[in-house]
Amino acid sequence: MPGWAVVSAILAPIFLLGGLVLATARQSASYSTTRDTISALGGLAATDRWIMVVGFTGMGICFVLTAIGLRPAMLAGRVVMAFGGVVTLASAFFPQPVQGTSAMHGLVAGAGFVALMVWPAFAFRTEPYAPWSLRPTASLLAVGVMIVLLFWFAYELFNRGDQIGLTERFLAGAESLWPVVVVFNARQLNPIFVALASEKT
């Protein structure tokens, strides 16, 4: 697995966290990280929305690069991750309007959340010498945790709760950090497994 895949995996949560911290600091006191969405930071009504646009764009590109470089994973999972990266990037260019919501933004953001949630279910390997992070148990457990976070976020969103922003940040954080775990774990593999995995994908 190439070193740049490790770098891209690490940079994805950095783009997310950096965007959140810097963009939030530029908003008025009325913006709440617990209540308000991440999308609002990149919306047309946000102050210096370009900060979160850079965050979304960088994070999306990093997911695509990580998917390309994560050769020990099954190809289907890598394709799903890459798709999640593409739509994450696209969400930056379909911002929320000043008033109301954007159906297109909701579509691409939702597709990104789902793709980045389920990719491990398509990426796991059943070989006994596969890294633990790419075995069925770990992969499906990771998906299960993210599904719980997604339902929590959806519950808050559709019920207009006061923890929409908090739940979205937990979900986005989990989705950006799991590839880091997988990349570092797979990086320690014996070259023989990497060669065998490449042949099967």
Side-chain angles (χ1 to χ4, degrees):
M1 186 169 58
W4 50 261
V6 178
V7 174
S8 64
I10 294 171
L11 286 178
I14 291 176
F15 271 112
L16 173 64
L17 180 60
L20 288 175
V21 171
L22 295 176
T24 300
R26 296 295 301 140
Q27 308 312 306
S28 66
S30 63
Y31 182 84
S32 168
T33 56
T34 301
R35 181 190 65 245
D36 297 317
T37 65
I38 297 172
S39 296
L41 295 173
L44 297 179
T47 302
D48 290 337
R49 61 177 296 268
W50 65 267
I51 297 174
M52 205 62 230
V53 169
V54 171
F56 285 137
T57 302
M59 185 167 57
I61 292 172
C62 286
F63 282 132
V64 172
L65 292 175
T66 302
I68 293 171
L70 191 56
R71 295 168 187 165
M74 292 297 288
L75 181 60
R78 295 164 62 195
V79 170
V80 175
M81 185 200 291
F83 172 76
V86 170
V87 291
T88 296
L89 190 159
S91 69
F93 300 96
F94 294 100
Q96 293 282 31
V98 175
Q99 297 292 335
T101 59
S102 164
M104 181 57 71
H105 178 83
L107 178 64
V108 294
F113 274 128
V114 172
L116 294 172
M117 175 184 71
V118 303
W119 75 265
F122 297 92
F124 70 76
R125 310 193 70 98
T126 56
E127 298 92 340
Y129 46 80
W132 67 262
S133 62
L134 283 174
R135 292 177 185 172
T137 300
S139 297
L140 296 178
L141 180 60
V143 173
V145 170
M146 289 186 280
I147 286 175
V148 170
L149 292 174
L150 178 65
F151 273 98
W152 184 21
F153 170 52
Y155 175 83
E156 290 290 327
L157 185 64
F158 290 114
N159 288 281
R160 298 182 179 179
D162 58 3
Q163 294 185 325
I164 297 173
L166 177 66
T167 56
E168 185 181 25
R169 283 162 172 77
F170 272 121
L171 176 59
E175 291 184 342
S176 67
L177 288 173
W178 182 245
V180 180
V181 174
V182 175
V183 163
F184 271 98
N185 178 229
R187 179 77 168 169
Q188 308 305 315
L189 288 177
N190 187 302
I192 296 177
F193 169 77
V194 176
L196 291 172
S198 299
E199 290 178 4
K200 293 187 177 184
T201 54

